[in-house]
Amino acid sequence: MRLRVEFTTEPFDLDEAPAHAVVAREVVEAAELDAVDVGPFGNTAEGGADQVLTAVDALLRRSLEAGATRISLQVNVVGAGVEGEGER
């Protein structure tokens, strides 16, 4: 099974990336994922279920430890045979 996670960490700081945002980026970039897209207002990562779930666990723990007060995330199953995929 393949998963895609989309996430944001708060509080936001438009002038400089806060420590929790930097940690979140480091976690997903270091994970063994197939696709990672990091942006100022949202981030996505995709890969096998075990890799994504391991990365999400580390992302939650480390971002909270680094000062995040809120982490919003959504996890979707992606790939062949998933209704709605490929209709973008």
Side-chain angles (χ1 to χ4, degrees), residues 30-80:
E32 296 179 16
L33 302 172
D34 300 332
V36 174
D37 183 23
V38 177
F41 300 108
N43 310 283
T44 61
E46 187 174 317
D50 287 340
Q51 290 79 16
V52 170
L53 294 174
T54 297
V56 166
D57 178 63
L59 168 76
L60 293 172
R61 292 174 189 277
R62 293 192 50 210
S63 296
L64 291 168
E65 290 170 358
T69 58
R70 177 179 177 151
I71 302 169
S72 302
L73 68 96
Q74 178 175 316
V75 178
N76 294 299
V77 176
V78 296

